Amino acid sequence: MSADAADGPADTVRHVSGAGVPVHGNDIDTDQIIPARFMKVVTFDGLGQFSFFDQRFGDDDEEKDHPFNEDRFRDSSVLVVNANFGCGSSREHAPQALMRWGIDAIVGESFAEIFAGNCLALGIPTVTADSETIADLQAWVDENPDGDIDVDVEAETVTYGGNEVAVDVDDAQRKALVEGVWDTTALMKSNRNAVQETADSLPYVETDD
């Protein structure tokens, strides 16, 4: 991941590079990404191990056929998915779990809007391409599990195996990532003087000197 904190209060995210992991299927919802029973936690720490849990394990904890169970994809950081990924309930635990698994970027046909927004809050790009491009990329990843995928957020391209394809990045997401203003907490902290001045000017707000 490209980082330059001088450009904004958070690290800029212009490039993400890493091996890919393909997860096939349309309409994979947030309950599949992280089942609700694993959300009863005080912090997000440790959620990564429960990513796609019910797709990866049966009732007796026997392993199912799923890419997240395969050793060849264990160190992958670019997730390649199909249409309407992250639909369903608007649980921020879903991208939190994927990030803690090791996912730094997601390339897919389309994403649920709230899921994409929750990914942006973590600095995870969600970039889109047509179904044929995604199918080709998933097939390549399956054949080349150690091959690198380079996601260029700024240029809106994905490069893999000598191929460069155009992708779409939402304009607001692209601006936030490239300029390092995707982290709202860091953004507010960087403007603490302005926040304090506004608070001091309000007659109904008492602040400590």
Side-chain angles (χ1 to χ4, degrees):
M1 183 180 297
S2 174
D4 186 352
D7 288 349
D11 291 342
T12 61
V13 183
R14 294 175 176 144
H15 292 86
V16 178
S17 295
V21 52
V23 173
H24 296 268
N26 297 327
D27 305 315
I28 294 178
D29 61 29
T30 53
D31 191 56
Q32 294 178 62
I33 298 170
I34 180 70
R37 65 185 181 279
F38 298 119
M39 294 167 52
K40 300 175 182 179
V41 292
V42 177
T43 71
F44 297 118
D45 295 340
L47 279 184
Q49 62 184 312
F50 302 119
S51 297
F52 297 110
F53 193 87
D54 290 342
Q55 279 63 53
R56 293 168 51 215
F57 300 99
D59 292 337
D60 296 324
D61 291 333
E62 74 277 8
E63 283 196 0
K64 297 180 181 179
D65 183 17
H66 191 278
F68 272 44
N69 283 339
E70 297 185 40
D71 288 339
R72 63 192 183 125
F73 296 126
R74 189 68 63 187
D75 297 322
S76 300
S77 59
V78 179
L79 179 60
V80 187
V81 298
N82 297 109
N84 200 29
F85 186 79
C87 58
S89 63
S90 56
R91 60 185 66 168
E92 58 184 326
H93 297 69
Q96 288 278 357
L98 293 175
M99 181 182 72
R100 282 163 172 74
W101 177 270
I103 299 301
D104 294 326
I106 312 177
V107 184
E109 295 178 48
S110 61
F111 299 92
E113 184 175 356
I114 294 178
F115 175 82
N118 286 335
C119 285
L120 176 59
L122 300 175
I124 299 174
T126 50
V127 307
T128 60
D130 60 69
S131 59
E132 183 177 353
T133 297
I134 295 300
D136 289 344
L137 180 55
Q138 287 178 324
W140 182 85
V141 169
D142 194 53
E143 295 175 0
N144 301 271
D146 296 324
D148 274 348
I149 300 172
D150 180 74
V151 180
D152 190 324
V153 176
E154 190 168 18
E156 296 184 278
T157 60
V158 166
T159 304
Y160 67 96
N163 302 305
E164 181 180 279
V165 296
V167 295
D168 291 318
V169 184
D170 176 80
D171 288 342
Q173 179 187 126
R174 180 174 174 271
K175 177 180 174 66
L177 292 170
V178 169
E179 295 183 4
V181 294
W182 53 268
D183 187 334
T184 54
T185 301
L187 185 61
M188 185 172 64
K189 186 176 179 181
S190 71
N191 289 280
R192 58 185 175 274
N193 291 335
V195 172
Q196 186 63 52
E197 288 176 6
T198 300
D200 290 342
S201 70
L202 300 175
Y204 50 84
V205 176
E206 294 183 4
T207 59
D208 295 330
D209 294 333

